[in-house]
């Protein structure tokens, strides 16, 4: 019986060559500004105790109530594949007492996250994020810096067609005062059972309901921004002032609801204009109560998660991928067995100068090897046979126009570097 081919699970996003080069580039560009700003890597497990997310992210969220990959492990423990990164970072910070040292604790992370959503373009069940968290200091200047780091990541990709939306969810007194009026307002609405249940868990969730009749119903709802205490208002005003000083433009969106329940104070989202329904390329905010809810001290924190898959789609949509950067500088074809040893060490020596070099392996014909060189996208090709071994100059083929140039071995680096 013939073995059937096995397919990847539905909705997972994977990156294979040659696309993976673009993915790797996008991820590194998004991370670079965080590394430049003193954030350090945190590598965390992709699975955690389920309680971490139900308590940290919140039972009222779709993420926890509908989208978690939860299973029992062999020891009977309830385990969940991480749907997001902040709760895990907080768990690790508390567990290893990092919050007892220098504050803020500043970390970055990147990796796979899992949400059992309905797959569509830009929405996957396994997707990739890079994120940062700055824990332990509540300073509006830090909020502005965190937002600026995310913005710089997108600028590194050459993106232009996106906007930054910000709002403030205020401190506890702001939210309590607003909640009273919001609940009174919601009580006047004619709602189905499921929506009423959601509202009971977290009334703010109704602002996130995309059904046109709900958007209409909520259009007159009281807005949290109008209930900010003086402290929260000053905090938010300072964040905006710092963003202005940084020349980062933003729109205030008082109806923004993030999909996770831990947010307080400054919250933000980056929305790309060319991506259709899945337009959120990144988002984040401050979370005052999260550490305490997870058994730690009452310290505030702020961070973001950027969607690497969507950032890549945005870079493709805007045509900003630097295709040339993904190819090797030189492709060397050894002619015959006798030149292989020479070519291996020649390639090693050129690589040590900082160039990327590929070699044609196997005993293919020159024509076949040239095809391989062409496909690789390398900028130059060199054919090394017995005559070229130890020669003072070589014939270098420039692949962009097919020109062959005679180059002295001593000047090869200069030509490749040009
Ligand atoms: P989030 O808004 O849920 O925030 O996710 C951040 C980004 O991940 C989104 O803006 C989007 O680009 C991407 N993303 C989310 N779900 C999917 C999906 N199913 N497929 C593809 N991309 C997706 C968080 O996760 C927070 N932990 C961010 C944060 C860090 N807040 C504070 N610190």
């Amino acid at each position: 019986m013939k073995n059937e081919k096995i397919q990847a699970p539905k909705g997972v996003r994977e990156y294979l060559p040659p696309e993976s080069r673009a993915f790797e580039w996008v991820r590194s560009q998004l991370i670079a500004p965080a590394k430049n700003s003193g954030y350090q890597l945190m590598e965390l497990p992709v699975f955690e105790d389920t309680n971490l997310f139900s308590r940290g992210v919140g039972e009222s969220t779709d993420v926890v109530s509908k989208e978690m990959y939860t299973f029992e492990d062999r020891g009977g423990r309830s385990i969940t594949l991480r749907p997001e990164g902040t709760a895990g970072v907080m768990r690790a910070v508390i567990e290893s007492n990092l919050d007892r040292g220098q504050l803020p604790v500043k970390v970055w992370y990147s990796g796979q996250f899992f949400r059992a959503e309905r797959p569509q373009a830009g929405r996957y069940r396994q997707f990739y994020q890079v994120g940062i968290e700055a824990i332990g200091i509540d300073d509006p200047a830090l909020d502005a810096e965190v937002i600026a780091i995310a913005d710089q990541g997108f600028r590194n990709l050459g993106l232009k067609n996106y906007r930054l939306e910000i709002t403030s969810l205020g401190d506890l007194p702001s939210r309590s005062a607003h909640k009273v009026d919001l609940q009174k307002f919601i009580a006047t609405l004619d709602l189905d059972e499921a929506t009423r249940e959601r509202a009971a868990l977290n009334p703010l969730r109704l602002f996130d309901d995309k059904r046109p009749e709900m958007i209409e119903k909520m259009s007159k709802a009281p807005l949290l921004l109008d209930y900010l205490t003086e402290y929260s208002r000053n905090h938010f005003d300072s964040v905006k002032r710092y963003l202005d000083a940084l020349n980062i433009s933003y729109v205030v969106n008082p109806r923004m609801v993030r999909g996770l329940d831990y947010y307080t104070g400054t919250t933000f989202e980056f929305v790309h204009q060319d991506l259709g329904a899945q337009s959120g390329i990144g988002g984040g905010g401050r979370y005052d109560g999260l550490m305490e809810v997870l058994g730690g001290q009452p310290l505030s924190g702020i961070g973001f998660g950027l969607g690497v898959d969507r950032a890549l789609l945005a870079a493709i949509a805007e045509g900003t991928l630097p295709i040339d950067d993904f190819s090797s500088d030189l492709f060397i074809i050894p002619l015959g067995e006798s030149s292989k040893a020479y070519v291996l060490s020649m390639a090693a020596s050129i690589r040590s100068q900082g160039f990327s070099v590929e070699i044609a392996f196997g005993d293919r014909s020159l024509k076949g090897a040239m095809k391989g060189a062409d496909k690789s996208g390398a900028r130059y090709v060199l054919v090394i046979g017995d005559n070229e071994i130890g020669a003072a100059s070589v014939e270098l083929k420039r692949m962009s126009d097919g020109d062959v140039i005679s180059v002295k071995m001593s000047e090869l680096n200069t030509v490749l570097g040009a």
Side-chain angles (χ1 to χ4, degrees):
M1 203 178 76
K2 202 165 164 269
N3 287 337
E4 271 184 32
K5 281 188 194 161
I6 299 172
Q7 293 183 331
K10 188 176 171 200
V12 302
R13 190 68 181 91
E14 51 190 3
Y15 293 92
L16 315 177
E19 189 194 20
S20 50
R21 291 186 296 196
F23 172 80
E24 192 188 358
W25 178 78
V26 167
R27 186 173 53 184
S28 65
Q29 296 302 314
L30 291 177
I31 292 170
K35 288 192 189 170
N36 257 343
S37 313
Y39 288 74
Q40 297 190 63
L41 175 65
M42 200 176 242
E43 277 292 354
L44 293 174
V46 296
F47 59 88
E48 295 269 6
D49 185 325
T50 301
N51 286 322
L52 176 66
F53 303 113
S54 37
R55 248 203 276 160
V57 174
E59 303 275 8
S60 83
T61 61
D62 280 356
V63 168
V64 169
S65 64
K66 301 183 194 156
E67 297 170 358
M68 293 208 298
Y69 283 100
T70 298
F71 57 94
E72 198 171 282
D73 75 1
R74 288 163 195 269
R77 289 166 286 254
S78 180
I79 295 290
T80 293
L81 298 184
R82 62 181 182 186
E84 64 95 51
T86 312
V89 168
M90 200 52 108
R91 194 266 309 140
V93 166
I94 298 169
E95 196 172 342
S96 57
N97 292 321
L98 281 182
D99 56 317
R100 308 281 167 180
Q102 178 72 21
L103 297 178
V105 177
K106 299 199 305 186
V107 297
W108 69 269
Y109 50 89
S110 94
Q112 289 94 333
F113 295 87
F114 308 87
R115 296 183 191 175
E117 300 194 76
R118 202 137 46 80
Q120 65 178 86
R123 187 168 71 193
Y124 312 110
R125 292 182 172 176
Q126 173 177 299
F127 58 97
Y128 297 81
Q129 273 187 12
V130 306
I132 71 170
E133 311 295 342
I135 298 162
I137 299 279
D138 186 1
D139 177 349
L142 178 58
D143 299 31
E145 188 185 71
V146 164
I147 293 173
I149 289 171
D151 187 58
Q152 186 59 48
F154 293 132
R155 284 197 219 183
N156 284 354
L157 300 181
L159 299 185
K160 292 202 170 68
N161 302 343
Y162 67 90
R163 66 175 182 277
L164 164 64
E165 297 188 356
I166 60 169
T167 191
S168 172
L169 300 179
D171 53 8
L172 196 57
S174 316
R175 287 194 304 281
S176 305
H178 173 246
K179 196 172 178 180
V180 172
D181 283 2
L182 184 60
Q183 276 168 334
K184 273 190 210 151
F185 172 82
I186 289 173
T188 67
L189 300 178
D190 177 21
L191 300 176
D192 59 76
E193 194 49 36
T195 311
R196 200 159 286 291
E197 271 168 26
R198 264 154 67 85
L201 279 173
N202 180 356
L204 285 177
R205 288 261 146 257
L206 298 203
F207 283 109
D208 203 20
D209 199 314
K210 303 280 182 323
R211 291 173 294 177
E213 69 275 16
M214 279 306 295
I215 294 174
E216 165 64 25
K217 280 180 187 161
M218 292 299 286
S219 64
K220 296 204 173 59
L223 298 174
L224 182 39
L225 263 194
D226 298 326
Y227 289 75
L228 295 188
T229 56
E230 196 184 344
Y231 171 81
S232 290
R233 175 150 301 283
N234 287 340
H235 194 287
F236 190 45
D237 286 345
S238 301
V239 174
K240 289 187 285 185
R241 220 178 34 250
Y242 293 133
L243 288 176
D244 292 337
L246 283 163
N247 270 327
I248 294 178
S249 46
Y250 54 83
V251 282
V252 175
N253 174 3
R255 292 168 180 277
M256 182 200 303
V257 184
R258 305 269 304 123
L260 314 159
D261 268 355
Y262 46 64
Y263 291 110
T264 60
T266 312
T267 40
F268 55 93
E269 261 173 14
F270 289 86
V271 182
H272 199 274
Q273 281 135 40
D274 307 338
L275 293 186
Q278 304 309 316
S279 57
I281 51 175
R286 197 162 265 293
Y287 36 84
D288 282 345
L290 181 60
M291 185 177 256
E292 222 177 347
V293 163
L294 296 177
Q297 328 178 52
L299 291 180
S300 181
I302 180 163
F304 62 66
L306 311 183
V308 183
D309 317 84
R310 292 186 193 171
L312 172 57
L313 289 172
I316 293 169
E318 289 200 47
T320 60
L321 289 180
I323 304 296
D324 287 354
D325 281 11
F326 303 147
S327 310
S328 299
D329 298 307
L330 179 64
F331 193 103
I332 313 181
I333 303 173
L335 277 189
E337 199 51 39
S338 52
S339 49
K340 280 187 182 170
Y342 182 79
V343 164
L344 281 170
S345 48
M346 182 182 184
S349 140
I350 302 172
R351 284 179 194 133
S352 71
Q353 315 285 319
F355 297 104
S356 49
V357 184
E358 284 184 71
I359 300 174
F361 291 105
D363 296 310
R364 285 195 289 176
S365 66
L366 180 57
K367 203 172 153 205
M370 276 311 275
K371 260 195 194 161
D374 203 25
K375 273 206 170 152
S376 80
R379 290 162 53 226
Y380 291 96
V381 176
L382 201 51
V383 180
I384 301 287
D386 288 346
N387 292 342
E388 283 77 19
I389 294 179
S393 63
V394 286
E395 306 281 294
L396 200 59
K397 182 170 180 185
R398 189 165 56 206
M399 298 303 275
S400 58
D401 54 11
D403 269 10
V404 176
I405 16 181
S406 186
V407 178
K408 285 198 186 123
M409 279 302 279
S410 56
E411 287 169 7
L412 194 58
N413 287 354
T414 322
V415 176
L416 291 177

